[in-house]
Amino acid sequence: MNENLPTLAAGALVLALTAGVYADDKPTVDSIKQPTSPPAQASAGLVNDWLREESSFFDPWDLGGQFRTRFEHKEHFAIGGTPGSFDFRESGADTDNTYLLFREKVHLGYTPCPWFTAFVEGRDSFEQHDDRNPDPESDRFDLNQAWLRFGNATEFPLTAKVGRQELAYGDERLIGTSDWNNLGRVFDAAKLRYENEDLWMDVFSSRVVLVDDNNFNVSNDYDYLSGIYASTRTLVPKQETQFYFLSRNTSADSPNATSGSPQAGGPAARDIYTAGLRVKSLPGGYGGWDYSAEVAGQFGRIKETAGPQAGVNLDHEALAVTASGGYTWTKAFGSPRVGLEYNYASGDRNPNDGKHETFENLFPTNHKFYGLMDFFSWQNIHNLHLTSSFKPCKKLTLTASYDFFWLADTHDNFYTSAGARRGGVTPTPGTGYGINPTYSNYVGSELDLIGTYAIKPYASAQVGYGHFFIGDYVKSSLSAIGSSDADFVYVQVLFAF
């Protein structure tokens, strides 16, 4: 471990706190998350407010950005630079990793009239002292967004947005920005929106942008995500109701792209269709109670790349469900809240039956849902999630959660948060992960503690700790090399301007 890293992280935190103390008290943006289009708030951001006070020339311009740094320390997971190593490995490899992540974004927007906006954003992401090889967190000086928007929904219900952009729908369980990641996610997309006072509906087609450090990022020519997503708050009182139909179509050229190209090693050929329903109570609609639920069914075809059916086109049939509820004591000190959530996603029950039943997680923001340490995705999983939060003062939020994880079917793999098979697909008793149907399906449990302090509307600091208690599935999988619980500590500061 580099002994200077904790000092550097502490220094970054002190700088953020100092900025909060000495900054002007005038309110600015309503959210720490930097908007992707000119905001409609009373404040347009630190830089924009100052420029517009100086001259009305700057009224149609949107100039701003975001700086984020995070110190991370990991033990017994995300083992870097050691091919063949596995999360929860006790010894025999570099099982500690301590590093700093940095991400900066700068954007420029122009809205000369209500029906037209142009927006461009650059991003620089890098790390210091990360042992992982290849480095998954670095992408220097690249184009993050560049889009045009046409139309004014207040005058005519149709608008269009074309170009490199973020896509985020619902809770981001299937399509999201993956903002926790140092790189994030964007798409080259065309989107048409119909919007009135009762509903909005998007129709879009897109290709995910692939990160290629030291080269200009391009989208995957062989992998299309298209869909229809609709939302209404009037169909059911006190509830937002959303319907969607998504299509992921990946050509047979995807995994065979020329070596060295950004598409090399892409996903296998597939035509997967997802139909879903999501419901969520509106804030305050039921007093202190809240609820949400989502169900997604899938069908189509996928070409298997490994195991006994490698090279075979399989019928795809899969299902995923989530349901949650909670209660907030709105009038009590600290507005404490407790909640309970259950997540399920199907796995493949029989590797030889000509079917593929593992739920396709598409392009999610998994960090929000299945534990702070990012071990899991919405694939082959049973997950029970207990959560609580407390606000001892206006600017400070404390959260604690506990998760239990089981594989939905031990005839299928243990999948990573990125949706990849963990450790291959062949049986590997005692020496790594694979398909081991005789093992217990209990993977383990995770405790997460997070404290978030809103220094100013444009600056925040966050500290988090996670501990994963390994279960029988992990112990059996790594019995020959030894297994251990895993720990995670991070400190993050964010400044938006």
Side-chain angles (χ1 to χ4, degrees):
M1 180 191 303
N2 188 320
E3 295 180 354
N4 293 326
L5 288 179
T7 303
L8 290 171
L13 180 58
V14 170
L15 286 174
L17 291 170
T18 303
V21 170
Y22 288 100
D24 183 14
D25 287 332
K26 180 178 59 179
T28 54
V29 295
D30 289 340
S31 173
I32 292 300
K33 183 178 180 181
Q34 187 63 34
T36 57
S37 59
Q41 301 97 325
S43 168
L46 290 176
V47 175
N48 287 326
D49 284 349
W50 176 74
L51 290 173
R52 293 172 187 181
E53 286 177 357
E54 296 298 313
S55 171
S56 60
F57 170 81
F58 295 103
D59 288 351
W61 294 92
D62 172 22
L63 178 62
Q66 181 193 92
F67 170 76
R68 188 181 78 180
T69 183
R70 187 164 68 237
F71 164 83
E72 294 190 359
H73 174 68
K74 297 177 178 178
E75 294 185 1
H76 302 291
F77 80 103
I79 300 171
T82 311
S85 291
F86 303 92
D87 291 336
F88 314 117
R89 181 169 180 160
E90 183 177 28
S91 60
D94 181 6
T95 60
D96 291 358
N97 195 8
T98 305
Y99 52 88
L100 279 169
L101 299 175
F102 298 90
R103 189 182 75 183
E104 301 87 36
K105 295 181 180 179
V106 177
H107 71 257
L108 177 65
Y110 181 57
T111 307
C113 58
W115 54 266
F116 176 78
T117 296
F119 184 89
V120 62
E121 180 181 63
R123 174 186 49 75
D124 181 36
S125 302
F126 64 100
E127 53 74 28
Q128 292 288 329
H129 309 290
D130 192 343
D131 292 340
R132 290 172 292 179
N133 184 26
D135 177 14
E137 305 275 10
S138 182
D139 183 37
R140 302 307 308 268
F141 306 109
D142 217 307
L143 178 68
N144 196 53
Q145 297 191 78
W147 49 261
L148 301 175
R149 184 168 58 203
F150 304 92
N152 180 4
T154 61
E155 297 181 358
F156 187 75
L158 286 178
T159 59
K161 187 176 180 181
V162 181
R164 184 160 297 184
Q165 58 190 278
E166 294 178 337
L167 294 179
Y169 289 100
D171 288 330
E172 303 186 43
R173 291 183 185 271
L174 293 174
I175 304 175
T177 62
S178 192
D179 188 63
W180 170 263
N181 187 278
N182 209 40
L183 308 175
R185 181 188 296 117
V186 292
F187 297 81
D188 287 339
K191 180 171 66 176
L192 184 67
R193 169 167 288 201
Y194 175 85
E195 184 175 2
N196 60 31
E197 61 183 11
D198 293 322
L199 66 87
W200 62 260
M201 180 174 66
D202 282 357
V203 179
F204 67 92
S205 182
S206 68
R207 298 178 304 185
V208 68
V209 174
L210 303 174
V211 172
D212 186 12
D213 194 14
N214 297 316
N215 294 294
F216 183 75
N217 294 341
V218 299
S219 55
N220 191 337
D221 296 333
Y222 309 109
D223 192 8
Y224 279 83
L225 175 71
S226 307
I228 301 173
Y229 203 104
S231 179
T232 176
R233 295 188 172 190
T234 58
L235 181 64
V236 177
K238 303 179 182 180
Q239 175 182 287
E240 182 173 24
T241 306
Q242 299 183 332
F243 304 91
Y244 54 84
F245 184 83
L246 308 173
S247 171
R248 185 177 187 182
N249 304 100
T250 308
S251 77
D253 293 328
S254 173
N256 301 315
T258 304
S259 177
S261 75
Q263 285 85 18
R270 65 196 62 200
D271 293 296
I272 292 180
Y273 305 95
T274 306
L277 166 67
R278 174 180 175 267
V279 297
K280 187 170 186 175
S281 58
L282 295 179
Y286 296 91
W289 293 98
D290 63 83
Y291 66 85
S292 66
E294 185 169 355
V295 57
Q298 292 181 334
F299 62 94
R301 299 278 286 176
I302 186 170
K303 188 172 184 178
E304 184 57 274
T305 58
Q309 299 185 109
V312 178
N313 289 314
L314 306 177
D315 289 329
H316 179 73
E317 301 172 2
L319 176 70
V321 176
T322 180
S324 66
Y327 185 80
T328 303
W329 286 265
T330 56
K331 297 181 180 180
F333 170 72
S335 300
R337 180 188 182 274
V338 294
L340 177 64
E341 179 177 289
Y342 169 70
N343 299 297
Y344 165 77
S346 61
D348 196 54
R349 293 174 291 181
N350 186 342
N352 300 297
D353 64 356
K355 296 181 181 180
H356 183 271
E357 297 169 304
T358 308
F359 187 77
E360 167 72 49
N361 205 182
L362 299 179
F363 300 96
T365 304
N366 279 330
H367 180 78
K368 290 183 175 183
F369 306 109
Y370 317 112
L372 177 67
M373 300 171 75
D374 290 330
F375 287 125
F376 297 87
S377 59
W378 210 17
Q379 296 178 283
N380 192 30
I381 187 178
H382 289 288
N383 166 227
L384 189 62
H385 175 71
L386 304 109
T387 184
S388 62
S389 65
F390 181 67
K391 292 178 67 69
C393 62
K394 183 178 180 181
K395 295 185 176 183
L396 178 63
T397 302
L398 304 175
T399 63
S401 62
Y402 202 94
D403 286 88
F404 298 89
F405 298 100
W406 298 264
L407 297 187
D409 201 306
T410 56
H411 291 86
D412 199 356
N413 291 270
F414 174 15
Y415 291 90
T416 71
S417 63
R421 296 180 176 94
R422 191 178 296 270
V425 298
T426 57
T428 52
T431 59
Y433 299 101
I435 296 177
N436 293 287
T438 61
Y439 289 175
S440 164
N441 70 335
Y442 180 58
V443 182
S445 61
E446 181 176 327
L447 170 67
D448 295 323
L449 305 171
I450 301 174
T452 305
Y453 187 74
I455 304 164
K456 289 287 183 178
Y458 47 83
S460 70
Q462 189 173 87
V463 178
Y465 169 73
H467 181 89
F468 194 94
F469 302 88
I470 58 173
D472 290 339
Y473 175 83
V474 173
K475 294 175 183 177
S476 297
S477 297
L478 304 182
S479 60
I481 59 177
S483 56
S484 173
D485 291 354
D487 288 281
F488 179 44
V489 178
Y490 75 91
V491 179
Q492 175 178 284
V493 292
L494 186 150
F495 177 75
F497 56 90

